[in-house]
Amino acid sequence: TSKTLGFFADSANVSGQLGACTNVVAEYNPLLSCGVVDPDKYLEKMLTALEKSGVNEIKAEFQRQYDAWRSNYFQKIGECRYVKGFNS
C-alpha cells in the first residue's frame, strides 16, 4: 500500500508556477521523446527552464501539504486505537 494513498495536493497556491511548468514540458517533451534533439543538451535546458518556472516552489508547496496531511492522518490512526473493539 502506498504511503500517499488518499493524499490529494491542492495546486491553488502554485497555479501560476504549475501553468508555467506545464508549458515548459509541452515545449521540450516532444523533442526529447522523439529523439530529434541531443538529450544531454536539451534535458539540461528543460530542467533549467523548469526551475525558472517555479518547479521548486511547486515541490515545496506539495511537500508542505503532504507533511500536514500525513501528520493529521497518523494522528487519526492513533485515535482509532482507543475505539472500543478496534484492537483485537
Side-chain angles (χ1 to χ4, degrees), residues 18 21 41 44 58:
L18 198 56
C21 288
K41 180 180 176 184
E44 192 61 40
I58 296 168

Side-chain angles (χ1 to χ4, degrees), residues 24-41:
V24 169
V25 172
E27 177 184 347
Y28 286 93
N29 192 45
L31 300 171
L32 289 164
S33 295
C34 293
V36 296
V37 295
D38 178 6
D40 291 332
K41 180 180 176 184

Side-chain angles (χ1 to χ4, degrees), residues 10-69:
D10 179 0
S11 62
N13 292 338
V14 289
S15 61
Q17 294 94 327
L18 198 56
C21 288
T22 299
N23 291 337
V24 169
V25 172
E27 177 184 347
Y28 286 93
N29 192 45
L31 300 171
L32 289 164
S33 295
C34 293
V36 296
V37 295
D38 178 6
D40 291 332
K41 180 180 176 184
Y42 275 82
L43 185 57
E44 192 61 40
K45 283 185 174 185
M46 179 180 171
L47 294 175
T48 299
L50 285 169
E51 287 179 4
K52 288 180 181 178
S53 296
V55 73
N56 293 325
E57 289 87 353
I58 296 168
K59 288 169 44 179
E61 175 63 16
F62 288 178
Q63 185 67 53
R64 182 194 65 75
Q65 291 179 25
Y66 173 73
D67 292 343
W69 172 84

